[in-house]
């Protein structure tokens, strides 16, 4: 079990990468005149080395986020003072392993590694102090007479283990426990918009004892389907998926935009979309028609002028419903995923 399970609230002031055999993304945080360091794992010491992650850019959990926003800057002791703030991946309903992707910490190309997802949102926070960071994990310090090894402030303070902290075996089993998982939540307070980054190790077991957090059996649960921005909610079985969207298109000379959503039929038979619809998070919807051949991708131009979905650049949801009105797929995106005008966002 973690000894000092806490949440750190503050603003970002610097960013660094320790590029060694156990790499972390290091984030300097300021809170009430005190400096802290967030150390986020981006690679596992054990094989397989690539981490599981979910990048939820429109995080919805009204009860938790209201309590977090009311916290003072600095560290809050969850285990002793605020047990209601504890995060549990297995039992909390915030995330499931099937909603997490597998990604290396560093790879050539855009939006294909953990640095591509974590660093842009931190850089945005460094430039905008209205963005508040909430890091859940194991706290250390203050380390008097010992400057921080990355940013040089003194005394050294910080928080690490910002990932799932149960289901471990071997040398890491001693720190396993329920209701002590780590995460990084981000509050864009000017817009009252939240994002969340969840991390875990492929070696961890998602079937855990409710009292000890230790693995129960050998079945680890799902293996991650590579769709980290899909919402962890019940959806009807469907061969149709939202795979991409043009959220921030280049404007035409008259100021209009061509926002689009791309669907795929994953099955080996034709799939009708008569009576189906695309919706945004505000309930604006656009009816679909026709069918998709086996394996067909179809890009649908949205029609906001006639009540169709509008893809806000600050973040939102895109929902695909079937002819009965049930949700067949739902994806989310955030501000950092729409920064490049004219780029297609992949889900």
């Amino acid at each position: 079990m973690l000894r000092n399970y806490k949440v750190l609230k503050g603003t970002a002031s610097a960013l660094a990468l320790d590029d060694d055999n156990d790499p972390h993304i290091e984030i300097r945080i300021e809170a009430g005149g005190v400096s802290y360091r967030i150390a986020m794992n981006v690679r596992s010491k054990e094989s397989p080395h690539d981490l599981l992650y979910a990048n939820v850019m429109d995080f919805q959990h009204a009860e938790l986020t209201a309590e977090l926003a009311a916290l003072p800057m600095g560290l809050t002791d969850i285990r002793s003072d605020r047990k209601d703030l504890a995060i549990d991946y297995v039992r909390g309903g915030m995330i499931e392993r099937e909603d997490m992707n597998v990604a290396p910490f560093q790879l050539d190309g855009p939006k294909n590694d953990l640095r591509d997802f974590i660093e842009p949102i931190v850089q945005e926070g460094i430039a905008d102090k209205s963005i508040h960071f909430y890091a859940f994990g194991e706290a250390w310090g203050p380390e008097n007479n010992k400057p921080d090894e990355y940013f040089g402030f003194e005394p050294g303070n910080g928080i690490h283990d910002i990932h799932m902290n149960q289901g471990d075996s071997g040398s890491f089993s001693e720190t396993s426990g329920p209701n002590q998982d780590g995460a990084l939540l981000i509050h864009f307070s000017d817009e009252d918009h939240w994002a969340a980054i969840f991390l875990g190790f492929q070696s961890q077991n998602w079937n855990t004892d409710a009292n000890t957090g230790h693995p129960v059996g050998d079945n680890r649960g799902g293996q991650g389907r590579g769709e980290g921005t899909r919402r962890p909610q019940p959806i009807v079985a469907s061969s149709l998926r939202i795979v991409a969207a043009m959220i921030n298109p280049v404007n035409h000379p008259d100021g209009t935009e061509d926002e689009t959503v791309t669907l795929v039929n994953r099955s080996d038979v034709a799939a009708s979309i008569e009576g189906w619809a695309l919706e945004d998070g505000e309930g604006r919807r656009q009816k679909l028609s026709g069918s998709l051949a086996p394996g067909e991708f179809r890009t649908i131009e949205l029609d906001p002028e006639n009540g169709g979905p509008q893809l806000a650049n600050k973040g939102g949801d895109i929902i695909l419903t079937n002819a009965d009105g049930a949700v067949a797929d739902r994806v989310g995106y955030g501000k950092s995923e729409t920064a490049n005008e004219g780029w297609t966002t992949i889900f």
Side-chain angles (χ1 to χ4, degrees):
M1 182 173 290
L2 299 183
R3 293 173 295 175
N4 297 300
Y5 183 46
K6 298 182 180 182
V7 58
L8 170 63
K9 175 181 179 179
T11 58
S13 63
L15 176 68
L17 177 70
D18 59 7
D19 204 0
D20 55 21
N21 291 329
D22 183 25
H24 292 72
I25 289 177
E26 311 287 354
I27 306 167
R28 179 169 176 170
I29 295 291
E30 310 300 334
V34 179
S35 293
Y36 300 85
R37 173 164 55 90
I38 295 175
M40 296 189 68
N41 291 76
V42 288
R43 189 175 189 270
S44 174
K45 289 182 178 179
E46 296 185 350
S47 180
H49 298 294
D50 293 339
L51 266 62
L52 292 168
Y53 81 96
N55 188 35
V56 183
M57 295 308 298
D58 185 24
F59 180 67
Q60 302 284 340
H61 197 298
E63 183 177 355
L64 176 62
T65 55
E67 294 295 331
L68 292 177
L71 289 178
M73 291 289 187
L75 288 167
T76 295
D77 192 322
I78 297 175
R79 182 160 287 124
S80 297
D81 302 326
R82 292 299 306 269
K83 294 180 181 179
D84 58 311
L85 300 179
I87 291 178
D88 189 306
Y89 286 20
V90 176
R91 299 162 192 86
M94 292 183 191
I95 197 67
E96 298 175 6
R97 181 159 177 161
E98 287 77 12
D99 297 293
M100 302 184 82
N101 191 10
V102 178
F105 89 96
Q106 185 170 272
L107 191 68
D108 289 340
K111 294 187 177 181
N112 59 0
D113 59 48
L114 290 178
R115 293 188 65 181
D116 289 341
F117 292 110
I118 296 173
E119 292 188 13
I121 203 167
V122 177
Q123 294 286 10
E124 188 176 351
I126 293 171
D128 184 352
K129 300 309 177 186
S130 71
I131 299 175
H132 295 161
F133 291 78
Y134 298 78
F136 290 75
E138 173 86 326
W140 80 82
E143 299 174 319
N144 295 313
N145 302 315
K146 182 180 178 181
D148 182 79
E149 62 179 307
Y150 294 99
F151 301 113
F153 60 81
E154 190 177 336
N157 282 292
I159 194 162
H160 64 148
D161 289 339
I162 305 171
H163 48 66
M164 182 172 169
N165 290 305
Q166 59 183 305
D168 287 300
S169 58
S171 61
F172 295 101
S173 63
E174 293 182 0
T175 58
S176 283
N179 301 307
Q180 60 164 29
D181 289 327
L184 182 65
L185 273 59
I186 305 98
H187 186 203
F188 300 86
S189 59
D190 282 352
E191 305 166 359
D192 196 22
H193 171 79
W194 289 79
I197 297 172
F198 300 99
L199 298 172
F201 300 104
Q202 295 186 65
S203 58
Q204 289 174 312
N205 194 314
W206 282 60
N207 292 298
T208 64
D209 185 278
N211 295 312
T212 67
H214 292 162
V216 178
D218 295 327
N219 181 11
R220 292 179 178 161
Q223 295 303 307
R225 65 186 181 192
E227 300 165 343
T229 51
R230 294 186 188 277
R231 295 291 184 246
Q233 68 172 57
I235 59 176
V236 297
S238 170
S239 65
L240 299 177
R241 286 287 182 269
I242 301 168
V243 293
M246 175 58 72
I247 298 166
N248 185 17
V250 176
N251 288 354
H252 294 301
D254 62 0
T256 60
E257 297 181 329
D258 294 331
E259 294 179 340
T260 64
V261 174
T262 301
L263 307 179
V264 65
N265 175 13
R266 302 183 301 165
S267 75
D268 59 353
V269 296
S272 173
I273 55 172
E274 289 291 338
W276 288 52
L278 286 169
E279 299 181 9
D280 60 23
E282 303 299 320
R284 294 177 288 252
R285 68 195 309 266
Q286 179 172 329
K287 290 186 177 180
L288 306 178
S289 61
S291 64
L292 273 70
E296 180 183 353
F297 290 81
R298 181 171 301 177
T299 298
I300 297 164
E301 186 172 333
L302 301 183
D303 187 12
E305 292 186 0
N306 291 304
Q310 299 180 34
L311 306 183
N313 290 349
K314 68 178 183 180
D317 284 347
I318 308 171
I319 306 162
L320 175 67
T321 59
N322 67 11
D324 296 323
V327 175
D329 198 17
R330 181 178 184 135
V331 298
Y333 64 93
K335 197 173 183 180
S336 65
E337 292 183 311
T338 63
N340 294 326
E341 186 180 38
W343 282 50
T344 297
T345 298
I346 304 297
F347 301 102

